Amino acid sequence: MRGLEWRAMRQIFFNDFGRLRSGWRLLLFVLVFLAALFILASLLRVAYFALVQYGPTIPYADFIADVIFRLTMMLAALGAGYVCARWLEGLPWRSLGLTIHHGWFRDLLLGCVIGFASLAVAVIIATAAGGLRFSFGGSAIMNAVLRAFISTTPLLFVAALAEEALFRGYPLQTLTRAQLAWLGLLLTSVPFGLVHLTNPNVVPGVTFANTAIAGIWLGVAYLRTRSLWFPLGVHFAWNWALGWFFGLPISGINLVAHPFLKGTDLGPAWLTGGTYGIEGGVACTVALIVSTLFIWRMPLISATPDLKKLTSEENPALLSRVPSIRPADDIA
């Protein structure tokens, strides 16, 4: 009887390969990420205090602080992801999908094109319905526009990479290996929507729904390539087009002081998102759904065989040494 109880208890924690089940791996990732974030943030606070007390005045302090915050989150997410992949599943760094693999730059560029085009669809819908109007500042402010381009582009890139590493990195990947990709989309998209509810000018209900849909959109982009480069390009270009090119708020924040175009919201808010920006309106909802379906069906992208194996099979490192074991087909 004790043997049966022990086996039943073991089944709760370990899979048939003798490794921790995906749910526990996900929980451990969250704990390791929070610990890494706390340690890095504490070290940076000490360094910042020392710099303020004893160092020279730093220009663009707010901008630098924002970049450092995003870098901290990115490093914590990637570090926690690697630790969990290596020690819980015996997987290499490349399993996270952020190495210079075959086709990585193409995936990044194609993602940028799709991200920009998807945001443009939302803008066209809202503008055609009379909800948005755009103006161009002219040559007199072009120097300011160029400075805004130079400063916001790296910030938005790092911010997108940090969020992709956290939400489409190890959490989605380990659930996908357990043949739970659709559950992974849900468990990463809902928190992705929740964390944006702390932003200014939130539209109740719509903000969460659109951001959660965006999480599914970016999750599908990952599942098609099993690489973070493609969803990174999609995410970065959406935000870049939103803030610098069209001059609209990015998730409720007016980040770019001198955009290429200046968008003016004419309402209604249910369509355009009002002060939160277009991500809080129905025009965004339509664009995200159309783009998600397009990404899921488009033939131009695919995963490399190596990345496909590393993210489609429970314990692929062990499977490579045990040919007789055949896991179920991956849903993606």
Side-chain angles (χ1 to χ4, degrees):
M1 188 69 177
R2 288 182 180 178
L4 291 175
E5 291 176 354
W6 167 250
R7 282 195 292 272
M9 182 64 67
R10 182 178 173 81
Q11 283 289 319
I12 294 174
F13 292 97
F14 296 96
N15 59 27
D16 293 338
F17 296 89
R19 287 183 175 167
L20 204 62
R21 289 189 177 277
S22 58
W24 299 111
R25 298 196 301 255
L26 178 60
L27 178 60
L28 282 175
F29 167 82
V30 173
L31 295 176
V32 173
F33 166 74
L34 292 175
L37 190 63
F38 175 78
I39 292 170
L40 288 172
S42 299
L43 292 174
L44 287 171
R45 286 193 189 99
V46 172
Y48 178 78
F49 177 79
L51 194 60
V52 169
Q53 292 295 316
Y54 307 108
T57 302
I58 303 175
Y60 309 109
D62 291 342
F63 169 76
I64 294 173
D66 200 359
V67 172
I68 291 175
F69 168 73
R70 306 294 178 177
L71 282 171
T72 301
M73 190 168 74
M74 179 195 73
L75 291 173
L78 289 175
Y82 174 67
V83 167
C84 291
R86 180 69 182 85
W87 295 105
L88 299 180
E89 300 186 69
L91 297 174
W93 164 261
R94 69 179 187 279
S95 68
L96 296 177
L98 204 60
T99 56
I100 307 302
H101 59 77
H102 176 72
W104 75 272
F105 192 61
R106 180 207 61 189
D107 288 347
L108 179 63
L109 287 182
L110 190 56
C112 287
V113 171
I114 292 174
F116 187 97
S118 301
L119 192 276
V121 168
V123 168
I124 289 170
I125 292 171
T127 304
L132 292 176
R133 183 179 64 216
F134 294 92
S135 59
F136 178 65
S139 58
I141 64 165
M142 281 310 296
N143 285 338
V145 172
L146 288 174
R147 286 197 299 271
F149 170 83
I150 293 170
S151 62
T152 58
T153 297
L155 174 61
L156 292 175
F157 188 86
V158 172
L161 178 54
E163 292 187 356
E164 291 311 301
L166 179 58
F167 293 102
R168 262 66 62 182
Y170 185 78
L172 178 56
Q173 293 163 10
T174 195
L175 290 170
T176 301
R177 278 189 287 273
Q179 311 301 310
L180 297 171
W182 290 108
L183 179 61
L185 286 177
L186 176 65
L187 293 181
T188 55
S189 298
V190 169
F192 186 64
L194 290 174
V195 298
H196 286 80
L197 293 181
T198 59
N199 287 14
N201 307 310
V202 164
V203 181
V206 182
T207 294
F208 170 75
N210 276 354
T211 313
I213 292 171
I216 294 173
W217 174 54
L218 294 166
V220 168
Y222 168 77
L223 290 173
R224 286 301 315 277
T225 61
R226 307 307 171 92
S227 166
L228 288 179
W229 294 110
F230 183 56
L232 170 60
V234 174
H235 192 161
F236 160 71
W238 171 279
N239 286 345
W240 181 85
L242 191 60
W244 184 82
F245 192 86
F246 290 108
L248 298 170
I250 303 174
S251 300
I253 302 170
N254 288 293
L255 184 66
V256 184
H258 299 285
F260 182 71
L261 299 175
K262 179 59 179 176
T264 302
D265 192 301
L266 305 174
W270 64 264
L271 176 68
T272 64
T275 53
Y276 186 80
I278 202 166
E279 291 172 310
V282 173
C284 174
T285 311
V286 174
L288 287 174
I289 292 173
V290 170
S291 185
T292 301
L293 294 173
F294 176 76
I295 290 172
W296 185 252
R297 300 298 300 174
M298 70 179 296
L300 296 178
I301 53 173
S302 62
T304 66
D306 181 52
L307 286 175
K308 184 75 171 180
K309 180 176 179 61
L310 287 172
T311 56
S312 294
E313 303 169 345
E314 183 70 83
N315 301 311
L318 181 62
L319 285 171
S320 65
R321 299 192 296 271
V322 187
S324 60
I325 299 174
R326 292 292 182 269
D329 291 337
D330 177 58
I331 68 168

